[in-house]
Amino acid sequence: QVQLVESGGGSVQTGGSLRLSCAVFGYISSSGCMGWFRQVPGKEREGVSSIATGGGSAYYADSVKGRFTISQDNAKNTVYLQMNSLKPEDTAMYYCAFRYGPYCSSDYWNTKRFPHWGQGTQVTVSS
């Protein structure tokens, strides 16, 4: 059974930084994709970034390119999302998720393709 646990959310001012962590418990395939998604009330969950667990190729939504960095520490079974230059529009509940298979680009960010999800961590950016 795979369990994902997010942490690191909080409240910051515009321009601030946060690092989200997603700890993975249980076995996940080295041929898979870890993704970060976010959701605000009344809107659909949207993909933010993803990383291939086997090769480390990373992908980003246009809205966060140059500001967010995804990384993984295989020894700690943890995936990180470093978020810099935060904006009020980044305010959302952030979720990490895992899907099997090597395809990890934004073309594969359909939430229905990800069977494993964390509980979410809230990020609030004030102006």
Side-chain angles (χ1 to χ4, degrees), residues 4-60:
L4 307 178
V5 180
E6 302 99 334
S7 60
S11 297
V12 296
Q13 292 187 328
T14 298
S17 298
L18 285 172
R19 188 177 77 158
L20 305 184
S21 299
C22 175
V24 180
F25 299 92
Y27 173 77
I28 61 172
S29 171
S30 60
S31 178
C33 176
M34 289 293 299
W36 283 99
F37 295 76
R38 65 187 182 187
Q39 188 172 24
V40 297
K43 292 190 175 181
E44 291 188 356
R45 195 168 295 187
E46 64 173 4
V48 175
S49 181
S50 60
I51 188 167
T53 55
S57 297
Y59 306 88
Y60 300 92

